[in-house]
Amino acid sequence: MSEKYDQAMVQNWKGDMDAILIFAGLFSASVTAFIIESYKSLNPDPANTSVVILAQISQQLASIVNASSANPSPFLPEYATLDLGASEPPVLSLLCNMLWFLSLGLSLACALSATLVEQWARHYLQATRSKPAPQDRARLRAYLFEGLEKYSMATMVDVIPTLLHTSLFLFFAGLIAFLTPINTILARLSTAMLVLCCVLYILVTINPVFDLSSPYFTPLSSLIWFLGRKLQVLHRHDVDGTKAPVLARMSEARELEATDTTSQRDQRDIQATCWTISALRKPREIESFIEVIPSVVSGLDYSAKWLMDALMHHEDINVNLSSRLPRLLATCADRLIDPRVAERRAITCLKSIWSLTMLSIPKPSAQHTSQRQNLKFKEDAFSLFRAVQIALPSLQNYVLSASVVVARDLMDMQVDRAIALEEQLMGIQEPEQPTVISSEETLRYVLSSDRSKIQSDYKIILERMSARVSQQKIWTTAHPHVLVETAFVYQSRLASLARNSAVSRDESFVSEVLQLNRMFQVALNQAGFNLALQYVADILEHQSLPHEAFNTIRRTFFRINFGMPISGESQERLLNYLEEAVEHTSSWSTRLPQAIIDILLGLTRALTETKLILRAIGTIERYSRYTPSDAARSCLANLEHALPSEIRIYRSIDFLGSHIYADARPDRLSSPRATWNAVRNPPKP
């Protein structure tokens, strides 16, 4: 690390010094040409010297004549009145040459200093790399680097360009003094150019002090920053918005400004990432970007998660990950690429789809009409998953987890929309709150006949949806979700009609719409419960756990409302899976990991039938004898409390519980896996 740092530091110094040497050489040559012309004015003019000598002789003769006669001679030569100091050079000539000689001296000093800095830098690198042992190099480097900081080597490197800049301004000032006695217009033009350069130099110097992102700076910028820091006139706002004085150096403050968690930094992140993604055109290029998505989503950086969510809903189709990911995954199912490449790419895409679907970013409450726009992946993803599974059967576990979380995300969207409609309908029934109708909610069906037709059609769709739920069919295909979307369209039409001021007075109609909405939510909740049971059955069926099985099953049960009724078939199915999950194998380990079993134990709160509760208690008690856990103890306490009081009294009799369990225990020939396979693949008539 130190070698990389030193190499970058020395290369930076070398680049600066090379530029200074080139500029100082050219500038010194130019100044020298001007000095050759101007230094002549410092020498006295020979013709003028002769005139001065003759004037001195005339003055001496005049003084002799005046001394010998009382009346002074009126015939003094004209040269007798000349100033004896007229042979000295003019002031502007002295000023011009003084400024130019100072400029030349500073320029040569900069060239010499740049040469020395390059020599010192080479010596530093050679000394730090002279020892073969790494610990010796590290110690020698630490010793020499301490000397660099002690004697402010970096400050000296910054001072050298300052001297060169000073030399340039001295040259301009000398140029004004040189042109003033020659031509006033040229002198004024040079003065205007010097003033303009000074103003620009001052602006460039102070600009990075107020805006650390500015690419313009001069060596004096660090000096002004240092003075402002010492005088405590520089302040910045931290993440919480608190104003605090700046205590860091300019380079450190710039790093903090660029990396601190702020909304401006997040906007810069998304702009840079969008540019990167739009530049990745080929599949193998975008694949390298998608590979890091799971680690970003599972990390602790909330800003990075927000960035991923923003990319999921970006308006540019070349940036939108909801579009780029399926397109990349589709290339794995066309059998046009190497199978090993296709398998690796498909795993990368499926992992990223699972991670992005699991990603949850809080958003402000939106209308139900816009909630569908927040979906990460829509119903067409299931067809793509199916095609990939057919082309690459070894990826069944990855396809399974991705399909389940996408299905659950679609259900969550429908749940949120139904709850939003319910809140609006509940507001209609409160007389204190006036009904507000927006122009976008113009009713298409106002007549009572149309209203009745919508109700009847909605009931038919709802019956089909409930029938599919009761039949426990799979929900990882597009068809059931299209059916749910159709049901919601009818539900939203009825809700829009109920919000009409002319119809909202019909309390019976509003109550009926609320009841239909409640039935829709119950059916949707039951569908989510069946989806979770479907995933548990698939876990028990496979020899190995699917991708992220624990987090996936936890996600499927996260939005289940146990306050709504759960069918008795689903309760018994859950208990069957729990019994199979806690069975001990020949190695005295359970069929499923304890983390997944703990989730299944928590789901027993859905049990409402006494026989199933007693059966669950017996199963958990036997499981606790070999694998005691806090989840099992808590589950037993909840189940005991859910029992009727008359049954709870006799719970201490072991044989009663054992007898009930033996009667209720299903035949192992009809195991949960066999039952689920029969549901998915019913016998042909």
Side-chain angles (χ1 to χ4, degrees), residues 571 575 578-579 604 607-622 635-636 638-644 646-665:
Q571 295 182 32
L575 196 52
L578 177 61
E579 291 172 356
T604 55
L607 302 177
T608 56
E609 298 183 9
T610 303
K611 183 178 69 172
L612 295 178
I613 294 176
L614 291 174
R615 178 178 160 190
I617 290 175
T619 301
I620 297 172
E621 284 179 345
R622 284 188 298 274
C635 181
L636 285 174
N638 293 331
L639 291 174
E640 290 279 358
H641 183 73
L643 284 173
E646 61 273 11
I647 300 297
R648 202 181 309 163
I649 297 175
Y650 298 100
R651 263 289 300 139
S652 58
I653 306 177
D654 292 337
F655 72 89
L656 179 61
S658 301
H659 175 70
I660 294 177
Y661 172 76
D663 291 341
R665 183 178 177 85

Side-chain angles (χ1 to χ4, degrees), residues 568-626:
E569 293 81 2
S570 297
Q571 295 182 32
E572 187 171 1
R573 187 177 166 197
L574 168 64
L575 196 52
N576 290 340
Y577 294 159
L578 177 61
E579 291 172 356
E580 189 170 356
V582 299
E583 284 183 354
H584 286 80
T585 62
S586 57
S587 60
W588 289 98
S589 60
T590 55
R591 291 285 308 279
L592 295 182
Q594 184 174 352
I596 297 180
I597 293 177
D598 289 344
I599 294 180
L600 295 177
L601 292 175
L603 297 176
T604 55
R605 54 184 169 165
L607 302 177
T608 56
E609 298 183 9
T610 303
K611 183 178 69 172
L612 295 178
I613 294 176
L614 291 174
R615 178 178 160 190
I617 290 175
T619 301
I620 297 172
E621 284 179 345
R622 284 188 298 274
Y623 166 72
S624 300
R625 294 174 188 172
Y626 303 99

Side-chain angles (χ1 to χ4, degrees), residues 87-107:
S87 61
E88 295 181 0
V91 177
L92 290 178
S93 178
L94 285 174
L95 180 61
C96 171
N97 284 272
M98 180 179 64
L99 293 175
W100 280 353
F101 274 104
L102 285 175
S103 176
L104 179 61
L106 290 178
S107 177

